[in-house]
Amino acid sequence: MEPTVTRGIALNRPANPPIRLSFGLFWLVDLVATVFLFLVPYATELNPITTHFYELIGLPGVVLAGSIYAATVVMIGHYLSKPYDALFAVGTVLVYAFCATNNVILLMSGEAVFETLAIA
């Protein structure tokens, strides 16, 4: 009997679970805030891909675009070798933390953090 060889793609996760959890939380906050950006009259989403998906299918398009971004980040993290996978995950967490913070402050105050920093 011949042994069966299964060929597949072996994905390895970044080693640090808190980094993955942080990414998931910031991604979720950013996604919810982005959905609300389309519902308030005083804020606009700057990402043209998300806006295009919104114009095509409405709010589900915003969720679809956000899910595609997250899946892309996860796949890139799986293919990177150590320690680059963790560095990439940390960088992504920082980007999502900034975006989520900016979007939440924009929704609450009507002014974006980036605009405030650029003016100061």
Side-chain angles (χ1 to χ4, degrees):
M1 242 171 146
E2 295 280 325
T4 305
V5 177
T6 305
R7 298 201 186 259
I9 299 172
L11 300 175
N12 59 343
R13 294 185 240 172
N16 198 334
I19 293 173
R20 292 193 316 256
L21 180 62
S22 298
F23 167 71
L25 290 174
F26 282 123
W27 172 81
L28 184 61
V29 169
D30 185 54
L31 179 65
V32 170
T34 301
V35 167
F36 281 112
L37 286 179
F38 287 97
L39 299 176
V40 297
Y42 57 85
T44 56
E45 170 61 35
L46 298 178
N47 186 328
I49 296 169
T50 304
T51 304
H52 179 69
F53 275 73
Y54 176 75
E55 290 169 356
L56 286 176
I57 55 178
L59 290 177
V62 176
V63 175
L64 177 63
S67 299
I68 291 170
Y69 302 147
T72 302
V73 167
V74 169
M75 292 303 292
I76 291 171
H78 281 301
Y79 284 112
L80 291 174
S81 62
K82 293 181 179 24
Y84 299 111
D85 57 349
L87 291 173
F88 175 75
V90 168
T92 304
V93 166
L94 293 174
V95 168
Y96 269 102
F98 177 78
C99 291
T101 302
N102 185 59
N103 288 348
V104 169
I105 291 173
L106 173 61
L107 288 168
M108 294 176 71
S109 70
E111 291 186 20
V113 172
F114 184 72
E115 290 177 11
T116 306
L117 292 175
I119 293 172

